[in-house]
Amino acid sequence: MTALIQRLPPPPLGVVWGLLLINGLLIALMLALSKVATAQGMPATTYAFWQTLIAGLILLVRAVPIRAMVEKRLMVYFFISGLTGIAIPNVTAFYLVAKLGTGFTGIMYALPPIFTFLMATSMGLEQRNWRRLSGLSIAVLACGWIILQRHANMGQSEPLWYALGLLIPSMLSVGNIYRAVAWPSRATPMTLAAGTLLASAAALALFAQLTGTPLIARDASPNLLTILAVQGVLTALAYLCAFEIQKRATPVFFSQLGAVAAVFGLIIGVAWFKEQYSLTIWLGVLLVILGLRMSNRQRAVDQCP
């Protein structure tokens, strides 16, 4: 693992919170579009492949010259970042969602703040702070409550599948830590986002080949292709924001992205899909906000040592 990046001076709190909120909104929009696309028959793996490939190519246009991106140190970073942050969690989720349902899978995506905090404190990247741990726990439990309320009929299956589900938050947390501490010197967020997305697309293409999933949908409608193009643009913006956050803040701060995206997901559900939620779900939203507020009350965006 390379040396810690020489980071910028801590930016104003509003900057990183603004990036986190924008990133959460973009992810919620991406999930809404994927719901529309997969409902029209496109396999999830195919959709994820084109989503990451288009986004990576968009960012590649503004990244460093391709010759510079094939350096060994960057290729290793792209590979590990793409596998831990995108490919492995997504492939695991695609596999488990049919066995365990969307409710359990969604809960796994809400757990990274706790996993990341525990990893960061054990490595000395974060100070042990019970207030922060309590706030993160409240936000994560509230996210789990929201998901359970929306998906009450979670499937019954073998305990092994539930244990496998822990691979999702584990890999996401490893990715959060790795991207922060192994940040290549003089590399820009644009370059790292582009390389990570393209590495993930390559891994998803390999997974599709192994599982016999077609990467080209011959009966794709113009509307579906439009959705895919928009998704590519949103994904490019989302990952650019994500790497900008990781350049400025700690891995634990970044890991709260899932909770922010969950709140925006509910808002989009009401505004776009005309969904209706019970009072208990909105109480869960309030607890998420209070938990995030509590966890960031002190040293919200302190940099890694």
Side-chain angles (χ1 to χ4, degrees):
M1 187 175 291
T2 59
L4 297 178
I5 180 177
Q6 297 296 322
R7 296 178 179 273
L8 299 173
L13 183 61
V15 173
V16 287
W17 267 110
L19 287 170
L20 192 73
L21 292 174
I22 292 172
N23 205 351
L25 175 59
L26 289 170
I27 289 176
L29 288 171
M30 288 159 52
L31 292 174
L33 284 176
S34 66
K35 179 179 179 179
V36 175
T38 53
Q40 295 184 23
M42 176 171 281
T45 303
T46 304
Y47 189 78
F49 165 75
W50 287 106
Q51 168 191 355
T52 52
L53 179 63
I54 293 172
L57 292 176
I58 290 173
L59 294 179
L60 186 63
V61 175
R62 297 297 305 275
V64 298
I66 297 179
R67 181 180 301 176
M69 293 184 66
V70 296
E71 294 180 9
K72 181 179 179 180
R73 64 188 184 92
L74 287 179
M75 294 297 290
V76 170
Y77 186 93
F78 297 154
F79 179 75
I80 298 177
S81 178
L83 282 181
T84 58
I86 306 176
I88 293 178
N90 286 352
V91 167
T92 304
F94 296 158
Y95 184 73
L96 292 181
V97 71
K99 295 181 176 295
L100 303 178
T102 56
F104 177 81
T105 307
I107 292 173
M108 293 301 99
Y109 276 96
L111 291 178
I114 299 298
F115 280 59
T116 303
F117 181 81
L118 294 176
M119 290 182 186
T121 54
S122 66
M123 296 174 63
L125 301 177
E126 288 268 348
Q127 293 184 354
R128 298 184 183 276
N129 186 316
W130 289 107
R131 171 178 291 177
R132 183 165 228 187
L133 179 59
S134 299
L136 291 172
S137 299
I138 291 172
V140 168
L141 290 174
C143 280
W145 170 257
I146 291 171
I147 294 168
L148 284 173
Q149 293 299 304
R150 297 183 68 185
H151 307 281
N153 299 320
M154 287 170 47
Q156 300 295 323
S157 188
E158 294 294 330
L160 178 62
W161 301 127
Y162 290 99
L164 183 60
L166 294 176
L167 187 63
I168 296 174
S170 299
M171 285 294 99
L172 290 173
S173 300
V174 169
N176 291 339
I177 298 292
Y178 176 80
R179 285 191 299 273
V181 302
W183 190 291
S185 60
R186 296 184 298 278
T188 65
M190 180 83 69
T191 298
L192 299 182
T196 295
L197 285 164
L198 292 174
S200 175
L204 287 168
L206 177 60
F207 176 75
Q209 182 68 27
L210 294 175
T211 58
T213 304
L215 290 179
I216 299 178
R218 298 178 180 178
D219 56 347
S221 65
N223 180 57
L224 189 56
L225 295 177
T226 300
I227 291 175
L228 199 55
V230 173
Q231 182 76 296
V233 174
L234 292 178
T235 303
L237 292 174
Y239 276 86
L240 181 58
C241 282
F243 276 89
E244 287 287 353
I245 295 170
Q246 291 228 261
K247 183 178 180 180
R248 292 166 166 78
T250 65
V252 175
F253 181 86
F254 175 78
S255 70
Q256 300 170 115
L257 179 61
V260 175
V263 173
F264 275 116
L266 291 177
I267 297 173
I268 291 174
V270 172
W272 187 346
F273 299 105
K274 308 301 180 183
E275 297 176 354
Q276 295 183 349
Y277 305 123
S278 65
L279 181 60
T280 55
I281 287 184
W282 292 115
L283 177 60
V285 172
L286 178 61
L287 289 176
V288 170
I289 296 173
L290 291 177
L292 294 180
R293 172 65 177 170
M294 180 179 176
S295 68
N296 290 281
R297 191 170 181 179
Q298 294 181 339
R299 301 180 64 190
V301 293
D302 289 352
Q303 296 170 306
C304 295

